[in-house]
Amino acid sequence: MAKIKPSKGAPYARIMGVGGYRPTRVVPNEVILETIDSSDEWIRSRSGIATRHWASDEETVTAMSLEASGKAMADAGVEPHQIGGVIVATVSHFQQTPAVATEIADRLGTVKPAAFDISAGCAGFGYALTVAKGMITDGSAEYVLVIGVERLSDLTDLEDRATAFLFGDGAGAVVVGPAQEPMIGPTVWGSEGDKSDTIKQTVPWTDYRDGTVERFPAIRQEGQAVFRWAVFEMAKVAQQALDAAGITADDLDVFIPHQANMRIIDSMVKTLKLPDHVTVARDVETTGNTSAASIPLAMERLLATGQAKSGDTALVIGFGAGLVYAATVVTLP
């Protein structure tokens, strides 16, 4: 039997740079109230959201990704030709094939990298980051570009009182590269498919194509069920990620949860008993829920505003449709 040579990857991986892009149009709650019977006070009390960004026709999934990726590569000091992998986490790129990652990779000027998309909803960034880490330590790439990008305004039913105010658009990207010490911890991830009906697309694309339904498919969710699951079950997953990394809540500097809902974030902080010194990302207030883009966008804003700094230890966790989840501890770039 022939022996396979061992991989010659880096011992560990790290996030080297981060970039973000938010569409220019800022949409306040007053715009949402034009199509649903609600109030600004109700939206803020239920979600913590005051504004969100919606993309124009020119701010496509590709265009937003290119903007965020350029900033991430500049922040990391990595040139396009050094990128060996491009992974895009998204649920709102409507061309089934080819993967949008291939177009992004080409337009960035990379040289024949592995390029593919991941569909894991709001946990997509965590899934993509974990795959990128494996590529670095396996030796199949020296640097990997991870992008979370969404145009959820395309999947929002503005007449659905339960979801019309939730979603926003944007792109966040990070460059993952080699490290000589652990800077991305073990990932605690998984799925609970028995709960898939709690967040889902209203109908398959084929129903719209065939004329079975007249309304374009949109995202629906059972708010209370999702809230309970996120607060109680995802707090457990977050704790497992801390345990897997060998640290405690006291060792944390930053907490970056998926920006789904301010009440969920605050409840998780309480359940995890995070100390007062831990900076908590609350980007949802002005960005809304951007699914796979929410964690890198929140990370970028914390670093840009000085609320977090390079070298800080951060717990990140994404969770959503599937239901799927992914949590890990990282060192901020």
Side-chain angles (χ1 to χ4, degrees), residues 9 84-87 114 116 130-142 144:
V86 177
I87 310 174
F116 54 96
T130 302
V131 174
K133 172 187 173 183
M135 293 170 70
I136 302 301
T137 57
D138 180 65
S140 58
E142 185 174 9
V144 178

Side-chain angles (χ1 to χ4, degrees), residues 21 55-70 88 90 92-95 98-108 117 145 147 149-151 170-171:
Y21 179 81
S56 66
D57 291 343
E58 291 74 28
E59 291 168 316
T60 62
V61 164
T62 298
M64 293 190 293
S65 296
L66 291 171
E67 291 286 345
S69 298
V88 177
T90 186
S92 49
H93 174 60
F94 295 149
Q95 185 172 330
V100 72
T102 58
E103 178 187 0
I104 293 168
D106 177 64
R107 292 183 59 179
L108 284 172
D117 299 349
L145 179 64
I147 304 164
V149 57
E150 302 290 5
R151 274 182 56 119

